[in-house]
Amino acid sequence: MSYPTSVSDAAMEFLMTEVLRYVETSTPTEGATEEQAIFAKEMAAAKMERMGFSVGFRLCERMAQNRTFSAGGKDPTMAVAAAQLEAVKFLCKEIWMEVFRKQIDKLQTNHRGVFVLKDMELRWLTRLPPNTETARVTAIQLLAFPCGIIRGCLSNLGIPAVVSCDFLADGQNMSACSFNIKIK
């Protein structure tokens, strides 16, 4: 008997929703001022990012076991930049395919350690309603998890990076987002 090798989208969305709810309830906000409530939301996003880091680190460990990310060449600076580009391409193709069942839609770089990954329809955000503040806050908290996956994967490959995310549209399409990677 053959078992499926992937999790259904509905189960994954439910799991992410419950993880987010758990993270939010583990940060107390009872009787808090507006500033404290915002801080609690930021703390929840930070916890989601740390969980994503762990998942990305371990996932990359499994998927990159027999791969090397090095580029030959005489100039060491160019070789490092080429190896970083190969690692980010691996992330965009292999890791993203494993997590979201599709590749990143667009990869841009300035060849100086800055990469922009664009996903025009991130699966976990497709059901969020547009133009509502609560949906936007929830999306930002959920996006912390893929940011952590990216950072964890790159960390496993020996590339320290800072990862941030942003929406591509003005609240019309919550699932279109970009991930900005700055290599340290």
Side-chain angles (χ1 to χ4, degrees), residues 148-180:
I149 289 175
I150 293 168
R151 199 170 65 84
C153 180
L154 292 174
S155 177
N156 185 292
L157 297 173
I159 302 171
V162 175
V163 182
S164 61
C165 61
D166 200 6
F167 298 107
L168 294 177
D170 296 327
Q172 299 299 321
N173 181 6
M174 296 296 281
S175 63
C177 56
S178 67
F179 298 92
N180 304 306

Side-chain angles (χ1 to χ4, degrees), residues 55-70 86-91 94-95 98 152-159:
V55 169
F57 193 91
R58 288 182 282 142
L59 183 62
C60 187
E61 182 77 28
R62 290 185 127 194
M63 295 185 70
Q65 281 180 1
N66 301 320
R67 295 188 65 140
T68 55
F69 299 98
S70 61
E86 286 303 311
V88 173
K89 284 182 183 178
F90 168 74
L91 173 76
E94 307 290 327
I95 300 291
E98 190 69 23
C153 180
L154 292 174
S155 177
N156 185 292
L157 297 173
I159 302 171

Side-chain angles (χ1 to χ4, degrees), residues 34-120:
E34 184 178 337
E35 186 177 299
Q36 290 170 329
I38 291 170
F39 181 72
K41 295 281 187 188
E42 290 173 356
M43 292 301 295
K47 285 181 185 179
M48 292 291 287
E49 199 272 344
R50 285 192 303 273
M51 287 181 198
F53 179 88
S54 177
V55 169
F57 193 91
R58 288 182 282 142
L59 183 62
C60 187
E61 182 77 28
R62 290 185 127 194
M63 295 185 70
Q65 281 180 1
N66 301 320
R67 295 188 65 140
T68 55
F69 299 98
S70 61
K74 297 178 182 175
D75 184 12
T77 307
M78 294 299 280
V80 168
Q84 290 173 347
L85 180 60
E86 286 303 311
V88 173
K89 284 182 183 178
F90 168 74
L91 173 76
C92 292
K93 293 178 182 178
E94 307 290 327
I95 300 291
W96 218 255
M97 181 67 83
E98 190 69 23
V99 177
F100 296 106
R101 296 188 199 155
K102 66 179 238 123
Q103 294 181 4
I104 281 286
D105 294 320
K106 190 173 187 181
L107 167 63
Q108 296 175 314
T109 182
N110 67 356
H111 299 289
R112 291 187 207 117
V114 176
F115 299 91
V116 179
L117 285 57
K118 294 184 179 181
D119 194 332
M120 301 305 175

